[in-house]
Amino acid sequence: MGRIWVLGIEGMTCASCVTRVERALERLPGVEEASVNLATERATVRVADGVTIEPVLEAVREAGYTPRVETVEIGIEGMSCASCVTRIERTLAGLDGVLEVSVNLATEKVAVRYLPDAVSRARLEAAIREAGYTPRTEESSEEKTVDTTLAGFVRDLRLAAALTLPLVLVSMGPLVWPALGGWMEAWAPRSAWRWLELLLATPVVFYAGRRFFRGGVAELRHGSPGMNTLVMFGTSAAYFYSVLALLAPGLFPEGTAHTYFEAAAVIVTLILLGKYLEAVAKGRTSEAVRKLLELGAKQARVVRNGQEVELSISAVVPGDLIRVRPGERVPTDGEVIEGEGYVDESMLTGEPVPVRKGPGDEVVGGTVNQNGSLLIRATRVGSDTVLAQIVRMVEEAQQSKPPVQELADRIAAVFVPVVLAISVLTFVVWMLVGPEPRLNYAFVAAVSVLLIACPCAMGLATPTAIMVASGRGAREGVLFRKGVAIEGLARVQAVVLDKTGTVTKGRPELTDLLPAPGWDERELLALAAAVEQRSEHPIARAVRERAEGLALPEIHDFEAVPGFGARARAGGREVAVGAARYMRRLGLSVEVFASEQARLEEAGRTVVYVAVDGAIAGQMAVSDPPKPGSRVAVSALRVEGLHVVMLTGDAERTARAVAKEVGIDEVVSEVLPADKAEAVRALQARGLRVAFVGDGINDAPALAQADVGVAIGTGTDIAVEAGDVVLMQGDLRAVVRARALAKKTLSTIYWNFFWAFGYNTALIPVAAGVFYPFTGLLLQPALAAGAMSLSSLLVLGNSLRLRYFQPPALPDEAEAPLSQTQAGVLLYTSPGCPDCAAVKAWLEAHGVSYAERDLSRPEVAEEALRRYGVRVAPIVVFGGRAYWGTFDVLRGALAPRLAAAPPAGVEG
């Protein structure tokens, strides 16, 4: 199967560096694929079995770069003999990314040389525990490399700035302030000041700017010039031209023996400043992963021998019982064993409303227990947790390259050689046709061309946008497993929706309860639910769920009649529940209910009857209703011009009814799970780029066949390997939000390319002096260097704007306008609450009827808290959505819906 290594690489500055490293790695025997990301400064290398890491590291070094390799010493407790040493060395050496292991029994330490981008210190310590020993932990700094890089830039930048400022004052000051020139001439001759310029410029160019020379020499040695080459040539030309003019002015034509020491120093200083700001910005692009990691708890309160003990999270194992108090983060994935509380899962799903958790419910590590004490049993720990999988998916997405980057890579591969050729051509043209002093003009123009061209921006255009977008998506519950999925989702033309569990809730619900004359709904439901207690049929489960909270009579003589229904004696009465054919079998006529049954069945519902003591007492209808948000999501997708298709194994009539309810025109029904991929292929054969949206349970072939597979579910049960995009919310509106983010990201990438390519295309002619005959202006090398740094900062700044992306505001299904006769409003109030009185008066003034419940009653307060996560009056509930707050807040939320369809005679 081979292995995958992740290498950190230092020294890359532009897209040509990426190409050079990839080529160097792919030439190695046994290397199957190599992908390099400039933004993360990492290479992902897939190799065949038997290939060792050292040739790979050496290839990176030979290409002129430095692979990130670290050495760490870890203290170990519990070793007693040489066999302990052998066991630990063998365990650690078996980890991907570990290069060398040496255990010292005398000092009880192990020295490990490893790739920090492939394996962490925490994983090394975990492996030691797995071998049966105890590592002595200490705080580690995962940002050590980034901090070291920034510290290096700061050190060199301070030196360069400290020397460049007086250098510019000495060389340019007399031109701006003639009095200063007179004072300088009186103090020392002009030649002495030039020697001072040489002394100030030399450490700036060759010490503060040494990284550019090292990188440039390595690039030239491997025949792949990049940004470092351009800077090296530009600063060297300015510096050595000035040295020669200072030492041998007679070699130059009259009037051309000028010095450009200040230009060389300013070039280095400005580019160092630009690279420092770039490094800071690149750190911000990857902050999403760091924030995700920060969500994990560091300690857990584990119950051992009846006592609660504080342990490091790394010491928790599956099966441990963990106490989670109010306000604490859930340490790891688990199942609630005892207690109830509301858990904030917004880090997982993006939804702000807390979710009630009780015995048997799953909880996810990193979520916050808002109230109530929970005792949970750990089910997944370490790298197996949902949070760890999310982090891995975000990192994988950041590492991958979408197709849009391929063109940029091809252009970047030839960009610098073309710029070098343009620079030479510029020098020649100026020498041939330029005005006097030709040499000065030719030199300035040629150096400016070298410095203004920026291949860095090309290499950063795509990966920085992908990094920021994948992190922003994770905060919204949208996980892109690959960078290519972002581009693919933005370009899709058709969306295929699996019905069950995606468009609909995936479980039957009792949607209609129609009692016969003389029967009360609650009494009829209680009798039906009592009979259905013994049945495992999905319809029986739907009836029982609807009857929760009702007092059910005891039953005797229960009998299930397969294919028809069930009967029993409930509360001393003979009760039968079943289809119309069961009623006929019992000798009961359903003709009087035939029209209502036809209407319900036309709507895709399954109708059952309830008979009591030999007479039909009412009808019930059961269906798998659409999820809240399905209709709104389908409408939003169609507004964007997408072709929406629903795919299902259900019968045609049922499928059509659901499709009509959510606004889908094209339906493919009675499709077996194995044939779903064929339906996707049929759409692709029509020339459409297709996204398939399913719950990931039996949709794997269709998800794989589609251009983009979108797995939709809930945070705890989502199959994260199921699709290219994983939505942690079981709501189709998340598809709309994910596509909006993908489109915004692709747009950002295009703008980045505009800044990268357009910037260079526009400014290279300016630097070459093409407009000099018309304007008399020629760009100076120092300004060209500043412009080069600015292009990278523009690209990074544009990508960072994605951090503030806001998904489109989609209404809830309940956002239909309120009408004068509507009675579906539920109002929770408390006695003596002025806001409650104001809301009631406002609803009444607008002709909106409502049902009122008293929050001062404990059972009502518990109901509101259980259903909506709040129990502070007033609360207005409409269509399943709760609004709460002051009267002004509630009026602001409800007034727009009154204005959308104002009832006759009512003032808006």
Side-chain angles (χ1 to χ4, degrees):
M1 293 180 60
R3 303 173 73 182
I4 294 178
W5 288 320
V6 180
L7 315 177
I9 300 177
E10 298 177 352
M12 296 189 297
T13 57
C14 61
S16 60
C17 302
V18 171
T19 303
R20 181 162 60 255
V21 174
E22 286 181 345
R23 288 175 177 172
L25 293 173
E26 289 172 347
R27 282 196 294 264
L28 291 176
V31 173
E32 298 172 352
E33 183 182 1
S35 175
V36 179
N37 188 307
L38 178 62
T40 60
E41 297 183 335
R42 288 180 178 179
T44 302
V45 187
R46 189 170 74 239
V47 300
D49 289 331
V51 176
T52 61
I53 189 67
E54 289 301 333
V56 175
L57 300 178
E58 188 58 31
V60 174
R61 295 188 190 99
E62 285 295 323
Y65 305 95
T66 304
R68 274 198 289 270
V69 179
E70 291 185 5
T71 300
V72 64
E73 281 193 348
I74 303 174
I76 301 177
E77 296 176 358
M79 292 191 298
S80 59
C81 62
S83 62
C84 300
V85 172
T86 303
R87 185 180 305 122
I88 293 172
E89 287 183 341
R90 186 167 55 243
T91 299
L92 292 175
L95 298 177
D96 285 343
V98 172
L99 308 180
E100 185 178 352
V101 182
S102 176
V103 177
N104 189 315
L105 183 60
T107 60
E108 294 188 332
K109 287 184 178 180
V110 58
V112 186
R113 183 167 166 261
Y114 67 105
L115 304 174
D117 297 85
V119 62
S120 66
R121 175 180 175 134
R123 181 67 188 94
L124 298 176
E125 293 177 349
I128 293 171
R129 290 191 193 91
E130 292 167 3
Y133 304 91
T134 304
R136 290 194 292 268
T137 58
E138 58 185 65
E139 286 194 25
S140 61
S141 174
E142 295 189 6
E143 299 181 11
K144 181 179 178 181
T145 302
V146 175
D147 292 341
T148 302
T149 301
L150 290 177
F153 276 125
V154 170
R155 182 184 61 249
D156 292 341
L157 183 58
R158 284 176 176 170
L159 172 65
L163 297 177
T164 299
L165 287 175
L167 173 58
V168 171
L169 182 65
V170 169
S171 61
M172 307 299 294
L175 301 178
V176 179
W177 187 17
L180 176 62
W183 179 85
M184 290 172 59
E185 289 288 344
W187 184 263
R190 176 60 183 158
S191 59
W193 293 108
R194 285 192 171 186
W195 281 100
L196 178 61
E197 291 177 19
L198 172 63
L199 292 175
L200 292 172
T202 299
V204 174
V205 173
F206 296 108
Y207 182 77
R210 64 194 181 281
R211 69 187 71 227
F212 305 121
F213 285 84
R214 282 202 304 259
V217 170
E219 290 170 356
L220 291 176
R221 189 171 68 247
H222 294 92
S224 183
M227 186 214 74
N228 290 316
T229 303
L230 298 180
V231 176
M232 181 180 69
F233 281 168
T235 54
S236 297
Y239 181 85
F240 289 111
Y241 182 102
S242 303
V243 170
L244 193 59
L246 180 61
L247 296 177
L251 297 177
F252 293 82
E254 185 177 351
T256 63
H258 299 299
T259 58
Y260 295 94
F261 290 119
E262 82 288 345
V266 169
I267 288 168
V268 170
T269 303
L270 286 179
I271 294 179
L272 279 174
L273 175 61
K275 300 306 286 184
Y276 167 74
L277 295 175
E278 181 181 314
V280 172
K282 282 162 68 177
R284 290 177 182 168
T285 64
S286 59
E287 71 178 3
V289 173
R290 292 197 297 272
K291 286 185 176 180
L292 285 172
L293 291 172
E294 289 170 1
L295 293 175
K298 304 298 185 292
Q299 301 286 324
R301 191 174 291 103
V302 180
V303 179
R304 296 274 173 88
N305 299 320
Q307 300 292 322
E308 295 182 5
V309 183
E310 287 273 356
L311 295 178
S312 168
I313 189 62
S314 59
V316 175
V317 297
D320 274 346
L321 296 180
I322 303 172
R323 176 69 64 184
V324 186
R325 295 174 179 171
E328 294 182 342
R329 287 196 181 276
V330 177
T332 191
D333 296 358
E335 177 185 355
V336 178
I337 302 301
E338 178 186 294
E340 291 186 355
Y342 281 82
V343 176
D344 180 359
E345 295 185 337
S346 58
M347 56 74 65
L348 190 70
T349 65
E351 293 291 341
V353 180
V355 180
R356 180 180 177 274
K357 298 291 183 180
D361 292 331
E362 289 189 352
V363 290
V364 177
T367 56
V368 179
N369 178 28
Q370 291 196 335
N371 56 28
S373 178
L374 300 177
L375 182 66
I376 70 171
R377 177 184 289 115
T379 56
R380 291 184 293 265
V381 299
S383 61
D384 295 329
T385 63
V386 171
L387 180 60
Q389 293 179 66
I390 291 174
V391 171
R392 279 201 301 273
M393 290 176 67
V394 173
E395 290 176 335
E396 288 172 5
Q398 293 178 348
Q399 187 69 17
S400 63
K401 287 185 181 180
V404 71
Q405 179 67 19
E406 294 176 0
L407 175 63
D409 289 345
R410 288 197 295 270
I411 294 175
V414 299
F415 179 78
V416 174
V418 169
V419 170
L420 291 172
I422 293 174
S423 179
V424 172
L425 180 63
T426 299
F427 185 85
V428 171
V429 170
W430 274 96
M431 289 300 295
L432 291 177
V433 300
E436 295 294 343
R438 294 180 180 180
L439 180 60
N440 278 26
Y441 284 119
F443 173 77
V444 169
V447 171
S448 295
V449 168
L450 290 175
L451 295 173
I452 205 165
C454 184
C456 315
M458 298 180 195
L460 294 170
T462 298
T464 53
I466 295 295
M467 289 177 69
V468 179
S470 58
R472 184 69 184 90
R475 289 167 53 192
E476 293 291 330
V478 177
L479 304 177
F480 296 100
R481 293 190 61 227
K482 307 171 185 175
V484 66
I486 296 179
E487 182 178 352
L489 188 59
R491 295 181 183 276
V492 295
Q493 299 162 299
V495 178
V496 178
L497 305 174
D498 183 45
K499 183 186 83 71
T500 305
T502 302
V503 176
T504 65
K505 293 183 177 180
R507 66 180 186 276
E509 290 186 0
L510 185 63
T511 55
D512 300 87
L513 179 60
L514 307 173
W519 279 94
D520 176 70
E521 280 190 9
R522 293 170 62 89
E523 183 183 7
L524 179 64
L525 181 59
L527 289 171
V531 174
E532 299 288 24
Q533 284 184 93
R534 301 280 184 90
S535 174
E536 290 303 319
H537 194 281
I539 291 179
R541 188 161 51 247
V543 173
R544 291 197 303 269
E545 288 178 356
R546 178 69 175 269
E548 282 185 6
L550 295 180
L552 304 184
E554 290 187 10
I555 65 169
H556 304 279
D557 305 327
F558 173 82
E559 178 188 4
V561 185
F564 289 88
R567 57 159 297 280
R569 290 194 62 81
R573 312 182 77 171
E574 187 69 28
V575 182
V577 181
R581 58 182 177 273
Y582 188 34
M583 298 297 109
R584 296 190 188 99
R585 179 173 173 172
L586 296 175
L588 303 177
S589 174
V590 295
E591 295 305 320
V592 68
F593 302 98
S595 61
E596 189 64 27
Q597 178 178 339
R599 181 188 68 81
L600 292 170
E601 289 180 341
E602 186 64 29
R605 295 173 171 85
T606 300
V607 177
V608 295
Y609 287 87
V610 182
V612 181
D613 294 334
I616 294 180
Q619 286 176 307
M620 299 186 297
V622 176
S623 71
D624 180 10
K627 291 181 178 179
S630 291
R631 179 176 58 82
V632 171
V634 170
S635 175
L637 292 172
R638 295 183 64 179
V639 165
E640 292 188 15
L642 297 178
H643 183 59
V644 183
V645 180
M646 190 178 78
L647 204 61
T648 178
D650 287 352
E652 177 76 12
R653 187 173 67 174
T654 302
R656 288 286 175 191
V658 173
K660 181 179 179 181
E661 191 170 352
V662 299
I664 297 176
D665 294 330
E666 183 173 346
V667 178
V668 181
S669 59
E670 301 181 23
V671 178
L672 296 175
D675 297 329
K676 291 180 180 180
E678 186 58 40
V680 173
R681 269 192 293 270
L683 286 171
Q684 292 171 327
R686 290 157 54 179
L688 298 175
R689 289 189 290 270
V690 179
F692 181 87
V693 185
D695 58 14
I697 296 173
N698 57 11
D699 303 323
L703 288 166
Q705 175 63 40
D707 296 280
V708 180
V710 181
I712 185 169
T714 57
T716 55
D717 63 6
I718 185 68
V720 295
E721 298 297 325
D724 304 311
V725 182
V726 178
L727 306 179
M728 307 301 282
Q729 304 172 26
D731 187 330
L732 271 183
R733 284 170 292 191
V735 177
V736 180
R737 298 184 182 107
R739 187 166 188 270
L741 176 58
K743 289 176 63 179
K744 182 66 175 178
T745 304
L746 191 60
S747 172
T748 299
I749 291 173
Y750 285 149
W751 274 107
N752 285 348
F753 283 144
F754 170 79
W755 288 117
F757 294 120
Y759 194 95
N760 286 300
T761 302
L763 292 186
I764 286 177
V766 174
V770 171
F771 301 105
Y772 178 81
F774 312 105
T775 63
L777 297 176
L778 191 62
L779 194 65
Q780 293 299 310
L783 293 178
M788 183 186 73
S789 297
L790 184 61
S791 67
S792 291
L793 296 178
L794 285 171
V795 166
L796 285 162
N798 191 45
S799 294
L800 287 171
R801 289 170 56 240
L802 287 169
R803 292 194 302 172
Y804 309 105
F805 166 82
Q806 292 298 323
L810 297 176
D812 287 317
E813 295 290 356
E815 293 296 328
L818 291 169
S819 68
Q820 190 174 13
T821 59
Q822 192 156 16
V825 175
L826 178 61
L827 180 61
Y828 289 86
T829 63
S830 293
C833 166
D835 283 314
C836 300
V839 171
K840 290 165 62 176
W842 186 82
L843 290 173
E844 291 166 0
H846 287 75
V848 179
S849 61
Y850 58 86
E852 185 177 4
R853 294 181 67 77
D854 185 0
L855 274 175
S856 64
R857 295 171 56 190
E859 66 274 16
V860 176
E862 175 61 27
E863 171 192 293
L865 185 62
R866 183 176 68 252
R867 291 181 177 179
Y868 311 113
V870 65
R871 56 182 176 187
V872 179
I875 308 170
V876 178
V877 182
F878 181 73
R881 178 172 181 181
Y883 304 83
W884 61 85
T886 64
F887 168 63
D888 290 335
V889 171
L890 293 172
R891 181 176 56 184
L894 299 174
R897 293 162 60 193
L898 278 171
V906 176
E907 296 183 4

